[in-house]
C-alpha cells in the first residue's frame, strides 16, 4: 500500500510518499518525473513518517540544519543508490559537481572513469529531493544546471542554505 501527504512549502506544494514505514518519495507537485500514477493511486494519510518528514522540512525551510534524516526506502538501481549515498554526504551549504561524483563512483568501483552524464541521469531521477540533496549538485565550473523541481527552485534552495 502506498500513502501520500501534501506539504505546503515556501517554494510550492510538495508531495510526500510512503510505504507506511519509510519515506519513498518527495517531489514538488508537477516536477519533472513526477509519479502521477503513484500519487493518484495512493491513500492520503497522516502517518508518523510524514510527521517526521514535515518536522525535517519545517526545520530546513526555517533556515536551520535538521539533525536527523527520516527513514528512507528507495527501490532503485545500484548506480542510482550509489549516487544518492554520495548526495547524502554533501554538507548543507556546500556543492559538488557531477564530475566529482562520477570520480568517486569510479574509484569505489575500481574503474578508470565513470560518466558524468550517467550521474546526471541518476541525480535527475532522485525520488526524495531536498532530503537527498540533488539541488547541491552543480555543473563544471560552478554552472547551475537542471533540477527536476525547476532551476528557479534550485536557486532558492541554494540561497536558503547560504544564509
Amino acid at each position: 500500500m502506498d500513502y501520500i501527504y501534501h506539504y505546503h512549502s515556501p517554494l510550492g506544494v510538495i508531495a510526500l510518499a510512503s510505504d507506511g514505514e519509510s519515506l519513498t518519495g518527495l517531489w514538488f507537485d508537477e516536477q519533472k518525473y513526477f509519479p502521477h500514477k503513484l500519487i493518484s493511486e495512493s491513500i492520503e494519510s497522516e502517518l508518523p513518517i510524514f510527521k517526521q518528514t514535515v518536522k525535517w522540512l519545517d526545520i530546513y525551510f526555517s533556515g536551520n540544519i535538521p539533525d536527523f534524516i527520516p527513514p528512507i526506502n528507495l527501490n532503485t538501481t545500484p548506480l542510482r543508490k550509489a549516487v544518492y549515498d554520495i548526495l547524502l554526504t554533501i554538507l548543507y551549504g556546500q556543492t559538488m559537481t557531477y564530475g566529482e561524483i562520477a570520480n568517486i563512483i569510479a574509484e569505489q568501483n575500481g574503474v578508470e572513469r565513470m560518466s558524468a552524464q550517467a550521474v546526471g541521469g541518476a541525480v535527475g531521477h532522485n525520488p526524495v529531493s531536498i532530503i537527498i540533496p540533488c539541488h547541491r549538485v552543480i555543473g563544471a565550473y560552478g554552472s547551475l544546471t537542471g533540477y527536476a523541481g525547476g532551476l528557479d527552485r534550485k536557486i532558492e534552495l541554494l540561497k536558503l542554505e547560504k544564509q
Side-chain angles (χ1 to χ4, degrees):
M1 182 62 60
D2 293 308
Y3 300 91
I4 193 79
Y5 182 83
H6 291 89
Y7 174 82
H8 296 272
S9 84
L11 301 179
V13 177
I14 296 174
L16 310 176
S18 174
D19 57 12
E21 298 293 324
S22 301
L23 191 65
T24 58
L26 189 154
W27 308 269
F28 284 102
D29 272 0
E30 303 306 318
Q31 81 174 40
K32 192 173 184 180
Y33 311 119
F34 187 80
H36 294 280
K37 186 173 181 177
L38 169 72
I39 302 303
S40 66
E41 294 176 358
S42 298
I43 298 169
E44 186 82 27
S45 182
E46 289 190 28
L47 301 172
I49 185 61
F50 291 147
K51 290 178 183 174
Q52 193 175 10
T53 303
V54 165
K55 180 179 178 184
W56 191 99
L57 290 166
D58 286 345
I59 292 168
Y60 178 82
F61 282 115
S62 72
N64 295 299
I65 303 171
D67 63 355
F68 68 96
I69 294 178
I72 297 171
N73 183 18
L74 299 178
N75 183 15
T76 191
T77 67
L79 171 62
R80 288 182 181 178
K81 173 81 169 86
V83 170
Y84 303 151
D85 287 345
I86 293 168
L87 295 182
L88 286 166
T89 70
I90 306 171
L91 299 176
Y92 184 97
Q94 302 296 311
T95 57
M96 186 179 283
T97 67
Y98 296 96
E100 289 171 323
I101 295 169
N103 290 339
I104 292 168
I105 291 175
E107 186 176 316
Q108 288 173 345
N109 290 293
V111 297
E112 192 171 316
R113 292 184 43 112
M114 172 68 192
S115 164
Q117 288 80 10
V119 168
V123 170
H125 285 84
N126 174 13
V128 182
S129 61
I130 306 174
I131 294 174
I132 298 177
C134 52
H135 62 280
R136 296 181 189 152
V137 181
I138 58 174
Y141 311 109
S143 61
L144 291 181
T145 59
Y147 181 62
L151 196 53
D152 55 335
R153 286 188 179 123
K154 180 174 187 162
I155 291 166
E156 291 304 313
L157 292 168
L158 292 172
K159 276 188 201 175
L160 172 71
E161 293 184 13
K162 293 290 185 187
Q163 291 180 7

